[in-house]
Structures are given as structure tokens and as C-alpha cells.
Amino acid sequence: MAEDTARRADGTEPSAPSGPTHTLLRYFIGARALSIVGDRIADVALPLAVLAATGSAFTAGLIGAANQLPQVIGALQVGALVDRRERRGLMIAADLVRAAAFVVIGLEVAFGGARLVPLVLLALLTGIADAVFHTAAGSYMPNLVSGRDLMRANGYVEGSDAAATLTGPAVGGWLLQAFNPMIAFATNTVSFLGSALLLFRLPKNEPTVGGPGEDESVLAGLRLIVRDRAQAVLLAGACYMHLLAATSFLPLLVRAEKELDFDPLTTGLVVSAAGVGGLLSSFVLARFCDTPWWPQLLAVVLAVNGGAVGLLALFDAPLWLASVVLVLDGASALAFIVVATTRQRITPDPLRGRVLAASSAVTALVRLVAVVGIGALIDLLGPRSVMVGLAALALPFVVLLAMSRPTHTSESP
């Protein structure tokens, strides 16, 4: 692994975590799962609670945008922080900040009238904590498990994300309907506190340093991506993945309502097949896809992604559409696992936080632009044409990946 060449400031090797690795990994995956559940509950509970309190979709949208903004404009600083500070402690601090912030958000929504300025500031705070947590978690994992086990470990993380996506939004909506915003946000707070308690059981992960002349600037991760072809190709593939993740379901929803005349239950069942596909890829397929020929594997997966989006424009029957959605999200989940694992393997430990953060900034910008523009494109061209265009856009990314050379790592199978 790349981090095997890194040294601490005192010249010693990074210490291996104490205790059975599989037990530590369970704690880590459990913490990630609880944190993601909290995120998914907030994705539904916060905008619905704001809408109920203010009646303003603009306010709800502005608060959502404020939550995403730090991942674009503050990513490079977050990456530098993760590379210079103890990573487990940063994850715990991020969980505690989010737990406290959602208590205040609940109080503001329930008793303060959901005022715009306080909620935007709180959303910015939780967005910063989100960025710190996810960058630190991605940088921490390679120091917890061996390079040979990274694919399976990332599969578990992606699987927990899929499970949280299946349960979190429903739980958030039910809590708002059955109780009140304070209960919904209190549940969110508990999830972050549970994550922090599990992380306390993990070993610390002090930052490592490279050799003399190591670039310590916040731009070091971005420079490495530009300089290293494997990193650049990996980011290109990730950009298409995030583009599809941000845009593929809205044209399906529009087509289901306006062209196919599906009722909400049928549409919901079709979309819910995505979670099933994600779980299958994460827990079943990922373990068979660990190969140094990751560019070619990713090319195949993105081709499946693009083809599935194109098929959504052709099929009309709910069962066929659900089957395609299952394949689409299964391929997406596998692509995210391959990208996360490869990036962790080929990135030196002293730069890992900054590389992850720089990549996240680029993909977050892609998602932001895509979300802003997809609605206008659907209105202009229609959902079918947009789906076909998204499918065709896969071609240059597939060709780029297929023509790239594999990157061999010392701990690859």
C-alpha cells in the first residue's frame, strides 16, 4: 500500500491498530451506518419541517444549498485539516458538532419560527462537519484494514449507505408525521452520538509525513490529481458517476407522472428497487471484483450505468422499470466501491485527506451544476431525450477508462 512508505514525524512506522481487525472494522462500519442514517433522516426531516413552519420552498431550498456549500468551497481546507490532525478525533468531533447542531435546529423549527438566517448558519455548520467526517473516514479506513481487505470494507460502507437510504427517509417522514420536529431531530442527534461512541472504541490515527520536500499546501491533493494520470482518470469516472446520481431519477419521476400516469405508490416502488440493487452490489458482487485492472472494470460498470439510463426511456411497464433501476443503482454502488478502494490504495497517506477532499469538491460541483440544470433540460427536451443524452454521455468516459493502464499496488490480490 502507498501508506506503507509513509513515516511519522519521528521516523517510526505507523502503528497497527490493536485488537482483532474484524472487531474494529465492525465498530467503524457501525459508526458510518449510524452517521449515514442521521444524514438520511435529515435529508427528509429538515426540508419538510421548514416547509411546514414557513410554507416557503425557497427557504427550504436555500437551507439545503447551505448544507452542501462547504463541500465545494471548503473542501481543500478540510483535506489539509484531515492530513494534519488525528483522524479518529476529527470524526468524533464532527459527530458531536452535528448532534448539537440538530438539537438547536429542532428548537429553532419548533419554537423559533424557522427563521432563515439561524437555519442557514446551522446548515453551514452541519455541512462543514459532514465534509470533515466523510473525508476523515475515507482517510482513516486504509489504516484500519489491509489493502487486500479494502474492497470488502468499502462494500460494507456502501451497503450501509444503501440500507440507510432505504430506511432513513421513511423514518424521518414518519417521525415528523407521528410526532413533531423536535422528536425527529432528537432521533437524528442520537444517531450521531451513537456513531461517536462507537468511534471512541477505535485506535487513534495520527497523521503521517512523507519525505523531505513534501508539499504541505492545501492544494497538494489537487496537484497530485492533475499530475498523476491514474488519479485524473479515476476522478473523470467519478464525475460521470456523480452526474448520474444527481440527475437520473428526476427524469424518471417526471416520465412516470406525466407520460406513464403512475400513481405515487407505483412510482415509489419502482424507485425503491434502487436500494435492493445497492445492497446486492455492496454485499455480494464487490468481493468478486477486486482486481488491479480497475480502469477496465470501471469502464464496464459505467457502460452498464449508461445503458440502464437509456433503457429507462424505453420501458413502460413498472416491473421492467424497477428491474432497470435495480441494475442502475447496483452498478452505481459497485462503481463507488471501486473508486473509493482504488483511490485509498494509490494515494500516499500524508496526502490522502487532501486528495479525497479535492476529488469531493470537483464531484460536488458536478452534482450542483447538474441539479441546477436538469430540470430546465427536462422542460426543454422532455424526460426521454434527457435519459438518452445521459446514456450517450457515458461513451467518452468508458473509452477513457478502457484505454487506461491498470495500477498495480503492493497489496492488491
Side-chain angles (χ1 to χ4, degrees), residues 85-95 136 140 203-205:
R85 297 289 185 268
E86 196 276 306
R87 290 161 179 167
R88 186 203 67 161
L90 287 175
M91 289 188 284
I92 293 171
D95 273 333
Y140 181 91
K204 292 184 177 181
N205 176 219

Side-chain angles (χ1 to χ4, degrees), residues 47-59:
L48 288 181
V50 171
L51 282 171
T54 66
S56 171
F58 174 76
T59 299

Side-chain angles (χ1 to χ4, degrees), residues 9 20 83 101 126 152 172 182 187 206 231 260 278 289 312 343 354 363 404:
D83 282 337
T126 60
R152 180 172 295 188
M182 276 303 302
T187 303
E206 297 292 346
Q231 293 278 4
L260 304 178
C289 296
L312 289 177
R343 185 175 287 129
R354 281 167 287 178
T363 54
S404 298

Side-chain angles (χ1 to χ4, degrees), residues 162 249 252 269-282 285 304-305 308-309 312 318-334:
F249 281 104
L252 173 62
L269 290 173
V270 168
V271 174
S272 68
V276 179
L279 289 172
L280 287 174
S281 281
S282 301
L285 293 181
V304 172
N305 260 336
V309 174
L312 289 177
L319 182 59
W320 282 108
L321 287 171
S323 300
V324 174
V325 167
L326 186 152
V327 172
L328 172 62
D329 201 71
S332 295
L334 185 58

Side-chain angles (χ1 to χ4, degrees), residues 328-397:
L328 172 62
D329 201 71
S332 295
L334 185 58
F336 281 115
I337 293 167
V338 172
V339 167
T341 302
T342 304
R343 185 175 287 129
Q344 288 165 345
R345 282 177 173 163
I346 68 176
T347 306
D349 186 80
L351 288 171
R352 189 175 293 125
R354 281 167 287 178
V355 169
L356 290 177
S359 301
S360 296
V362 174
T363 54
L365 184 60
V366 168
R367 293 179 74 113
L368 186 61
V369 172
V371 168
V372 170
I374 189 65
L377 286 174
I378 292 173
D379 288 340
L380 180 65
L381 303 174
R384 282 178 182 253
S385 297
V386 170
M387 291 173 177
V388 172
L390 289 172
L393 193 58
L395 183 60
F397 295 96

Side-chain angles (χ1 to χ4, degrees), residues 18-379:
S18 59
T21 299
H22 69 277
T23 300
L24 297 175
L25 181 59
R26 285 202 297 266
Y27 292 146
F28 179 80
I29 298 299
R32 291 293 308 268
L34 284 173
S35 179
I36 292 170
V37 166
D39 291 337
R40 297 298 175 264
I41 291 174
D43 287 345
V44 169
L46 183 56
L48 288 181
V50 171
L51 282 171
T54 66
S56 171
F58 174 76
T59 299
L62 194 59
I63 292 168
N67 180 256
Q68 296 297 316
L69 192 59
Q71 297 184 44
V72 178
I73 64 174
L76 298 181
Q77 289 76 13
V78 168
L81 176 69
V82 168
D83 282 337
R84 295 167 184 167
R85 297 289 185 268
E86 196 276 306
R87 290 161 179 167
R88 186 203 67 161
L90 287 175
M91 289 188 284
I92 293 171
D95 273 333
L96 295 178
V97 167
R98 292 187 292 183
F102 275 101
V103 170
V104 181
I105 287 172
L107 292 172
E108 174 61 32
V109 171
F111 305 108
R115 293 168 295 177
L116 178 61
V117 172
L119 286 178
V120 165
L121 293 176
L122 288 165
L124 285 169
L125 180 62
T126 60
I128 294 170
D130 286 342
V132 170
F133 182 92
H134 292 294
T135 304
S139 301
Y140 181 91
M141 185 188 287
N143 298 96
L144 185 65
V145 298
S146 68
R148 191 174 293 275
D149 295 326
L150 272 175
M151 180 71 79
R152 180 172 295 188
N154 279 301
Y156 292 151
V157 171
E158 190 67 29
S160 67
D161 194 339
T165 301
L166 279 173
T167 58
V171 169
W174 174 73
L175 288 171
L176 280 177
Q177 181 174 323
F179 300 99
N180 56 57
M182 276 303 302
I183 297 298
F185 294 125
T187 303
N188 206 21
T189 294
V190 169
S191 75
F192 291 127
L193 292 176
S195 172
L197 288 174
L198 287 175
L199 291 171
F200 267 115
R201 305 179 70 94
L202 297 178
K204 292 184 177 181
N205 176 219
E206 297 292 346
T208 58
V209 296
E214 179 74 36
D215 190 348
E216 294 293 330
S217 76
V218 296
L219 297 175
L222 194 59
R223 291 193 185 108
L224 178 62
I225 292 173
V226 173
R227 186 174 66 245
D228 188 298
R229 178 173 172 77
Q231 293 278 4
V233 168
L234 197 64
L235 179 56
C239 284
Y240 181 69
M241 290 156 43
H242 282 270
L243 175 68
L244 282 191
T247 60
S248 58
F249 281 104
L250 184 58
L252 173 62
L253 295 176
V254 172
R255 184 167 180 249
E257 179 186 3
K258 295 184 179 299
E259 295 182 3
L260 304 178
D261 200 27
F262 287 174
D263 57 66
L265 176 59
T266 301
T267 301
L269 290 173
V270 168
V271 174
S272 68
V276 179
L279 289 172
L280 287 174
S281 281
S282 301
F283 293 121
V284 179
L285 293 181
R287 66 184 64 190
F288 302 110
C289 296
D290 202 350
T291 171
W293 294 85
W294 62 265
Q296 289 68 40
L297 173 61
L298 198 55
V300 172
V301 175
L302 292 191
V304 172
N305 260 336
V309 174
L311 289 176
L312 289 177
L314 301 179
F315 291 135
D316 296 337
L319 182 59
W320 282 108
L321 287 171
S323 300
V324 174
V325 167
L326 186 152
V327 172
L328 172 62
D329 201 71
S332 295
L334 185 58
F336 281 115
I337 293 167
V338 172
V339 167
T341 302
T342 304
R343 185 175 287 129
Q344 288 165 345
R345 282 177 173 163
I346 68 176
T347 306
D349 186 80
L351 288 171
R352 189 175 293 125
R354 281 167 287 178
V355 169
L356 290 177
S359 301
S360 296
V362 174
T363 54
L365 184 60
V366 168
R367 293 179 74 113
L368 186 61
V369 172
V371 168
V372 170
I374 189 65
L377 286 174
I378 292 173
D379 288 340

